[in-house]
Every structure is written in structure tokens, then in C-alpha cells.
């Protein structure tokens, strides 16, 4: 199977941000080792006096060795947890691109002569994209097109979790209410407390999201891409 460029882009983006996360955690741990080893020798000046980071010099006023030690674990937690927002946005963009590519490979939905969707194509796209939630959106696509997604359903709970947690982060500053906490299945989320992902939980969620994208991408296989130029999506 040859992956679409949209799937390749999703994987490249995730691999890049995943690598950056590990580098960030490593750098934080390395700095912590320095702080712990030199704690008694360091004054209470800003950490930027001891670590060369010119970009941070005016932005971390009062960030002393004690503050660094106190905030280290929460900073690492934030570095991991907030990456789920990028994962959710990347998949949402992938799905929109996939849907457009799927439509453009079928004459019922896309007119190569004009380079535009047919009325049926616009209707199908609109019906799918207006659905709230990514799992219901994928299910709507399958319902309207007859696409088989039985094997993908194994990963749907994780995809639903990704978007529930994304909403908690984006709309409630990371603090879950009772309803949202009850909707998350793959990890323990406590109402009125910050939602926190471990690196392994984030990687597991990402693996499920990629599996769903790969399964959808297979629906493009064997159907030639239209020769017409790409169009701007109609919202």
C-alpha cells in the first residue's frame, strides 16, 4: 500500500513533535541534575545566570533554583499533555484532506472537467464535516459511502479520548468537569483536577490515531487520483 501525502504529512508531524518532546524532557532532566548537584553552590539568582539561554533571559524573572526544582515535574507534565492538542488537530486536518482526496477519485462526487465537486460531492462533504466529534465523523463517512471500518473500531475509544481531553485542555484550561471525566475511557481523569498524560499514554493514543488514519488511507488504494487541480474546500 502506498500512503497518501496527507498520511505521510501526519506521520512526519507526529514523529517531529514526539522527538522534540523527548529532547525537551532530556534537557529538563539534565538541567535538574546540574541544579541538584550544585544546589548549595548556586545562589538564588535567575537560572538564566547559570544556563546559557539568551531567549529566556527576560522571560523567566525570579526563576531560581528553588522554583525550578518545585516546578520541574509540572513542566514535564505540561510538555507531554499539551502535545495531545497538536495530535488532535493534525488528525482532524488529515481527515479533511482524506475526505477531499476520496471525493476527487470518484466521478460521482468530482467533475474532472471543471475541477470542482459535483452537487453530490458537496452534499456528502457537508454531511460528514458538520458532524461533531471525530469518531462520529468517521462513522458518518462510513455510513454515507459504505466504507468498511470494522477493523478501525478497535481504536475508536482512544480517538474519542483524544478529542475529549483536547476539549478539556482547550475549553476548561485542563480541568475536567464531572461529565468530561466520565467520558474518558483509557485513563483516569478526576473531576476538578488537571488532566495529566504520561509519555506512554500519549504514545499509545497517537498509535491508535495513526492506525485509524492508515485504515482510512487504504480506502484510496486502487482508485486513481483525479487529474484535475485541487480545489479549495467549500465550508
Amino acid at each position: 500500500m502506498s500512503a497518501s501525502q496527507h498520511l505521510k504529512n501526519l506521520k512526519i508531524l507526529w514523529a517531529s513533535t514526539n522527538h522534540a518532546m523527548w529532547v525537551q524532557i532530556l534537557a529538563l532532566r539534565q538541567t535538574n541534575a546540574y541544579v541538584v548537584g550544585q544546589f548549595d553552590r548556586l545562589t538564588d539568582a535567575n537560572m538564566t545566570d547559570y544556563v546559557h539561554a539568551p531567549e529566556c533571559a527576560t522571560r523567566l524573572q525570579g526563576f531560581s533554583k528553588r522554583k525550578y526544582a518545585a516546578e520541574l515535574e509540572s513542566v514535564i507534565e505540561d510538555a507531554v499533555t499539551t502535545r495531545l492538542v497538536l495530535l488532535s488537530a493534525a488528525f482532524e486536518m488529515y481527515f479533511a484532506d482524506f475526505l477531499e482526496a476520496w471525493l476527487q477519485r470518484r466521478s460521482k462526487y468530482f467533475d474532472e472537467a471543471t475541477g470542482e465537486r459535483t452537487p453530490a460531492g458537496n452534499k456528502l462533504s457537508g454531511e460528514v464535516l458538520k458532524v461533531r466529534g471525530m469518531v462520529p465523523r468517521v462513522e458518518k463517512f462510513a455510513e454515507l459511502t459504505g466504507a468498511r471500518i470494522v477493523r478501525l473500531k478497535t481504536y475508536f475509544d482512544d480517538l474519542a479520548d483524544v478529542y475529549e481531553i483536547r476539549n478539556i485542555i482547550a475549553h476548561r484550561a485542563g480541568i475536567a468537569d464531572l461529565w468530561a471525566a466520565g467520558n474518558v475511557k483509557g485513563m483516569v481523569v478526576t473531576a476538578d483536577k488537571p488532566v495529566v498524560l504520561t509519555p506512554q499514554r500519549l504514545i499509545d493514543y497517537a498509535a491508535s490515531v495513526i492506525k485509524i488514519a492508515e485504515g482510512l488511507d487504504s480506502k484510496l488504494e486502487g482508485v486513481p487520483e483525479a487529474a484535475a487541480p485541487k480545489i479549495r474546500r467549500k465550508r
Side-chain angles (χ1 to χ4, degrees):
M1 171 184 166
S2 177
S4 72
Q5 188 59 51
H6 309 304
L7 179 58
K8 290 176 183 177
N9 290 344
L10 173 62
K11 289 183 175 182
I12 289 169
L13 176 62
W14 180 248
S16 175
T17 194
N18 192 34
H19 176 73
M21 178 183 73
W22 293 121
V23 171
Q24 186 176 358
I25 292 173
L26 176 62
L28 288 165
R29 293 294 187 197
Q30 285 178 321
T31 302
N32 188 58
Y34 169 76
V35 170
V36 171
Q38 300 293 323
F39 197 85
D40 291 337
R41 298 181 182 181
L42 299 177
T43 68
D44 285 329
N46 289 336
M47 284 294 298
T48 50
D49 287 357
Y50 307 113
V51 178
H52 180 65
E55 303 90 341
C56 303
T58 61
R59 299 184 180 275
L60 287 174
Q61 299 300 320
F63 199 68
S64 67
K65 62 182 183 181
R66 298 179 191 282
K67 191 169 180 62
Y68 182 92
E71 295 186 5
L72 174 65
E73 295 305 324
S74 65
V75 170
I76 291 176
E77 289 171 356
D78 286 345
V80 176
T81 303
T82 55
R83 275 178 166 80
L84 182 132
V85 176
L86 177 59
L87 175 64
S88 67
F91 179 80
E92 190 166 353
M93 193 71 246
Y94 165 76
F95 182 77
D97 287 336
F98 155 78
L99 178 60
E100 188 65 45
W102 190 94
L103 293 171
Q104 291 193 13
R105 283 166 164 77
R106 290 158 176 83
S107 59
K108 177 181 178 180
Y109 301 112
F110 188 82
D111 187 338
E112 290 189 42
T114 62
E116 295 183 350
R117 297 188 203 129
T118 65
N122 283 328
K123 181 178 180 181
L124 192 150
S125 177
E127 288 297 315
V128 172
L129 295 180
K130 76 179 182 181
V131 175
R132 294 186 62 183
M134 285 309 303
V135 170
R137 198 171 288 180
V138 173
E139 291 175 329
K140 176 59 73 171
F141 165 76
E143 174 192 331
L144 296 178
T145 64
R148 299 181 65 182
I149 59 170
V150 174
R151 293 182 180 180
L152 302 186
K153 290 184 178 181
T154 303
Y155 309 106
F156 277 5
D157 281 351
D158 278 356
L159 181 60
D161 275 5
V162 166
Y163 280 85
E164 191 66 60
I165 295 170
R166 187 277 299 269
N167 290 338
I168 293 170
I169 296 170
H171 302 302
R172 292 183 53 84
I175 308 296
D177 60 15
L178 187 62
W179 185 84
N183 283 339
V184 177
K185 298 179 174 65
M187 57 180 282
V188 175
V189 174
T190 304
D192 299 323
K193 291 187 177 180
V195 59
V196 175
L197 273 70
T198 64
Q200 188 59 55
R201 181 67 268 188
L202 177 63
I203 290 170
D204 289 344
Y205 277 146
S208 293
V209 168
I210 296 296
K211 284 290 187 182
I212 293 172
E214 289 175 339
L216 291 172
D217 223 60
S218 69
K219 310 302 179 188
L220 303 176
E221 192 174 9
V223 183
E225 187 172 2
K230 301 297 182 183
I231 63 172
R232 181 177 297 176
R233 297 188 189 87
K234 295 181 181 179
R235 298 296 184 185

